[in-house]
Amino acid sequence: MTFAQVQGNQEVKQALIGMVDAGRVPHAILFHEDDGGGAFPLVLAFLQYLYCKHRSDGDSCGQCPSCGKIAKLIHPDVHFVFPTASGVLSEQYMEPLRRLVAEHPSFSEAELLEALGLEGKIPMIAVAESRRLLEKLSLSALEGGYRAVVIYLPERMNAEAANRLLKMIEEPPQQTQFLLISHQVEKVLVTISSRCQRIRIQPAGQAAEAGFAEAGLLDELMTALLGKDLLGALEVSERIASLPSRECAKAFCIFAADRLRQMFLCQQGVQGLGTCAPEVERWAGKCRKTFPRQALEVLDRAVTLIGRNVNLKILFADMTDRLFLLI
Ligand SMILES: [Zn+2]
């Protein structure tokens, strides 16, 4: 899977390509997608790009042995972990996963369960899986380059498994790349998610436009807030309130929260140059140091209230007022 074969998410692709080109790939990346949102093919395209020795024009060649092995999920240094039935390791389910990815790389959780013959069950990532992973990572890379671990649904780890994974992410073995794909980031152990660079994946097609709308609205809102233009900011808040559905309004808040986290990291100097969006760097330089954290609380509150059927116009006007005082 090359980047060219992955639909949509241009911004994310550019960010991933930029990381590899600049030699600044964070050792752990957490992709946050809606179920079936297409993070899996993006991860494969990213891995191909990372490993390929014949990259050109911001893409992998798609033809060398390394690209072929990654595309077919048979690269010996790329490990996959996903929820399974108890007592069975992910590696025992690789065949059905390969068939599913060959057929439909943007698979949903339900499609994965069906492929694994686990319909109607709630599979988990067990502690044995973390143990096995540690064993694999204690060996050197078989093909002498990067080792990569793709964890699909880290929110489905029990506490012990998650704590073992945390240790691996905290003290990563040399040249090991962790790529996590989550549908419910709020359920991922905070100590894990806070050590990952977070990337929001917009679903392909229509919703990519929604993502575009979110980015545009946030840009306008931040410009008005930073310009101390309360009326302008309130005008943007009305447009947020009149997004097509409450889900869209919520998606806006989640998108904005993600950007605020990036601003925070940017201000702390944690985020390597070139890995956060240019507008995020610009905002981070202009707002108060306390803004990202306090604004995150305001957004969390807004998300909770959206779920409680309050009037969106009032809610977003209130949110904007609060942000105006904090910035
Ligand atoms: Zn290649």
Side-chain angles (χ1 to χ4, degrees):
M1 179 83 47
T2 59
F3 280 120
Q5 292 169 318
V6 179
Q7 286 188 334
N9 277 295
Q10 286 307 328
E11 255 186 67
V12 174
K13 286 187 210 170
Q14 285 312 320
L16 293 172
I17 293 164
M19 286 174 188
V20 177
D21 289 351
R24 290 175 186 271
V25 182
H27 79 281
I29 305 178
L30 172 59
F31 294 89
H32 175 199
E33 66 162 359
D34 296 336
D35 191 10
F40 202 88
L42 262 171
V43 161
L44 291 181
F46 172 70
L47 283 171
Q48 274 188 215
Y49 191 60
L50 188 66
Y51 281 73
C52 183
K53 299 221 163 52
H54 310 280
R55 287 173 207 150
S56 65
D57 293 334
D59 214 337
S60 59
C61 75
Q63 286 161 3
C64 66
S66 154
C67 282
K69 286 182 207 170
I70 292 168
K72 289 187 202 138
L73 275 57
I74 53 172
H75 195 294
D77 296 321
V78 179
H79 308 288
F80 294 90
V81 173
F82 45 90
T84 61
S86 76
V88 190
L89 292 169
S90 305
E91 59 189 29
Q92 292 166 262
Y93 281 111
M94 283 309 291
E95 271 314 314
L97 180 68
R98 285 175 190 130
R99 281 198 296 274
L100 175 64
V101 171
E103 233 169 71
H104 183 36
S106 298
F107 58 86
S108 68
E109 232 172 294
E111 285 166 324
L112 177 67
L113 290 191
E114 198 189 323
L116 305 183
L118 298 172
E119 300 100 314
K121 304 226 165 73
I122 303 179
M124 295 291 291
I125 297 175
V127 65
E129 197 84 65
S130 293
R131 262 189 235 121
R132 180 75 186 117
L133 193 55
L134 196 60
E135 270 171 32
K136 287 178 180 168
L137 295 181
S138 64
L139 305 168
S140 50
L142 292 165
E143 302 209 345
Y146 273 102
R147 278 170 310 184
V149 180
V150 178
I151 302 177
Y152 181 74
L153 305 184
E155 58 267 38
R156 292 283 192 75
M157 293 184 137
N158 67 28
E160 202 186 340
N163 276 310
R164 281 176 189 244
L165 173 69
L166 172 64
K167 286 218 175 71
M168 286 181 247
I169 294 182
E170 270 178 332
E171 294 165 31
Q174 276 272 303
Q175 284 206 304
T176 301
Q177 182 67 49
F178 289 93
L179 300 164
L180 283 59
I181 299 175
S182 170
H183 297 162
Q184 291 174 289
V185 267
E186 64 284 359
K187 290 195 178 158
V188 178
L189 207 62
V190 177
T191 38
I192 290 180
S193 59
S194 64
R195 280 175 175 77
C196 298
Q197 163 104 36
R198 286 167 58 154
I199 294 186
R200 175 79 177 131
I201 303 287
Q202 301 300 340
Q206 290 173 319
E209 273 170 42
F212 191 68
E214 287 155 15
L217 283 169
L218 182 63
D219 197 30
E220 285 186 56
L221 181 64
M222 286 300 295
T223 304
L225 289 173
L226 286 165
K228 293 281 162 211
D229 173 11
L230 182 58
L231 281 180
L234 286 170
E235 190 270 320
V236 183
S237 85
E238 288 207 8
R239 280 190 283 139
I240 301 169
S242 45
L243 281 167
S245 67
R246 298 185 87 83
E247 275 313 301
C248 291
K250 201 167 161 185
F252 170 82
C253 292
I254 292 169
F255 175 84
D258 214 60
R259 289 290 151 111
L260 283 166
R261 277 184 207 100
Q262 287 186 24
M263 278 168 72
F264 175 73
L265 291 174
C266 203
Q267 285 182 337
Q268 306 295 311
V270 178
Q271 196 117 6
L273 281 176
T275 57
C276 72
E279 68 272 18
V280 170
E281 266 181 58
R282 198 173 67 236
W283 299 335
K286 286 186 185 165
C287 67
R288 285 186 202 163
K289 286 265 186 260
T290 47
F291 178 72
R293 262 173 191 254
Q294 293 174 335
L296 266 175
E297 284 170 28
V298 173
L299 280 162
D300 276 345
R301 182 173 173 274
V303 171
T304 313
L305 291 174
I306 292 171
R308 287 192 199 150
N309 280 342
V310 296
N311 179 307
L312 289 189
K313 237 175 157 175
I314 298 172
L315 185 151
F316 281 109
D318 174 65
M319 179 192 89
T320 304
D321 263 335
R322 287 167 192 254
L323 294 178
F324 185 77
L325 294 173
L326 294 172
I327 202 159

